Amino acid sequence: MRTKPGPTTRLLLAGLAAVLTGCATQPQKTGTAPVAVLSVPPDIPEPRLPQPMPAPAPAQRTIDPGPVIGAARAIEPATTLGAVVLDRTTRAELLAIEPDRQFRAASLVKLLIAIDVLSHGADDRLRDRISTMLRVSNDGIASDLWSRAGGPELVRRTSNALGLTGTHPPADPGQWGDVLLTARDVVRVYDHVLTTLPEPDRTLIVGALAGAPRVAADGFDQHFGIPAGLPGQQWAIKQGWSNSARDISLHTSGLVGADWRYVVVVLTEHPRRVAWRAAANAVTAATQALAAAF
């Protein structure tokens, strides 16, 4: 005798039949089986590649003012000194000794004369005179151009145009050597020549300074300071020397190094009793103390 299946058994058999029927009617897929894709759980961060380390900033070189002052005063103890060295690549002052102290300009004012006269236009003859004035420090040409350009007004014009803060006309309008200026202002003058002047004027001035001979027009040996203290360096110089009833002024200034990277200015005053040669040696000793920075 057969027993009939109960309701639960019938439901299970019906479900099984449906599954078997579905499997039989599904088309069979052929070809390569699909590649399984692994998913990263959201709480596991993506791996990070190592980042390159930034290059360290170059160390800023500075010049200790102590040895510079000491070198000058070892030659002449009464030396008063103002100096600035500018690195034109980094725009950093590597040295600043009394940078805003005023000194009598002596022949450094010829840089201002050249810039002012050239700014008003100059024919070939006048340009040759300017080059000679700078190269051999010719006082006669400087006096003539100073008078033609208005003397004290020339100083005011160039000071305003170049942003000079410590450069002033002389008390006596005829004494261009008594123009007052600072080491920092002289650096600004050179920077102006290299960055602002039209190329022909820049070439004229720098070429004249780079061709300065040992003996100036008045017979003075102008290769003290930068030429003597920094042997082997490329230079373009404007030197200054003058005296008053109280003191003598002796200055070395110019462009130094490949592509004129550095502006070097060393201004000095000495008591009137000091011999010119001793004063020049003091300036050279101070400049020589800068050599390790170049």
Side-chain angles (χ1 to χ4, degrees):
M1 175 178 178
R2 293 182 182 177
T3 36
K4 293 182 178 180
T8 302
T9 304
R10 287 199 298 272
L11 287 173
L12 291 172
L13 291 173
L16 179 61
V19 171
L20 293 174
T21 302
C23 292
T25 57
Q26 286 291 325
Q28 298 298 311
K29 295 181 181 180
T30 60
T32 306
V35 178
V37 178
L38 300 178
S39 61
V40 179
D43 58 339
I44 300 178
E46 293 268 343
R48 298 184 63 183
L49 297 176
Q51 298 299 310
M53 294 294 292
Q60 182 60 61
R61 294 175 297 167
T62 57
I63 302 169
D64 183 356
V68 179
I69 298 170
R73 291 181 177 168
I75 304 295
E76 177 43 61
T79 299
T80 299
L81 187 145
V84 172
V85 175
L86 173 71
D87 183 336
R88 295 180 56 250
T89 299
T90 65
R91 306 305 303 173
E93 279 188 355
L94 305 185
L95 173 72
I97 301 171
E98 297 282 354
D100 299 315
R101 188 189 189 283
Q102 290 181 317
F103 292 79
R104 284 186 296 107
S107 286
L108 297 190
V109 74
K110 291 168 185 172
L111 293 168
L112 300 183
I113 294 173
I115 290 170
D116 185 79
V117 173
L118 289 171
S119 72
H120 291 87
D123 59 19
D124 288 345
R125 179 177 177 277
L126 185 52
R127 294 175 71 86
D128 285 344
R129 296 188 75 207
I130 292 170
S131 177
T132 300
M133 175 187 70
L134 295 174
R135 187 172 54 83
V136 297
S137 203
N138 186 289
D139 290 347
I141 296 174
S143 295
D144 180 53
L145 297 181
W146 170 266
S147 298
R148 289 170 180 259
E153 286 304 314
L154 177 153
V155 178
R156 296 186 185 99
R157 283 194 301 270
T158 51
S159 290
N160 291 334
L162 278 62
L164 308 182
T165 58
T167 299
H168 301 293
D172 181 346
Q175 297 296 318
W176 48 259
D178 288 346
V179 167
L180 297 176
L181 48 65
T182 69
R184 191 166 274 152
D185 274 359
V186 178
V187 168
R188 292 188 180 107
V189 170
Y190 280 106
D191 208 35
H192 175 83
V193 169
L194 291 179
T195 62
T196 305
L197 286 189
E199 192 276 334
D201 295 346
R202 179 172 65 249
T203 298
L204 184 152
I205 291 176
V206 175
L209 302 184
R214 175 175 290 278
V215 180
D218 65 357
F220 198 88
D221 182 350
Q222 62 178 348
H223 278 195
F224 63 93
I226 291 171
L230 301 175
Q233 290 286 350
Q234 182 181 8
W235 52 255
I237 55 166
K238 186 69 203 81
Q239 314 285 66
W241 53 94
S242 70
N243 63 278
S244 71
R246 301 185 319 274
D247 55 31
I248 64 174
S249 297
L250 210 62
H251 314 315
T252 187
S253 74
L255 307 170
V256 175
D259 299 320
W260 309 126
R261 176 170 178 172
Y262 303 99
V263 182
V264 177
V265 178
V266 179
L267 311 181
T268 66
E269 285 179 356
H270 313 264
R272 188 68 180 86
R273 59 175 172 75
V274 174
W276 285 107
R277 179 49 52 195
N281 288 342
V283 176
T284 296
T287 309
Q288 193 170 27
L290 309 175
F294 303 117

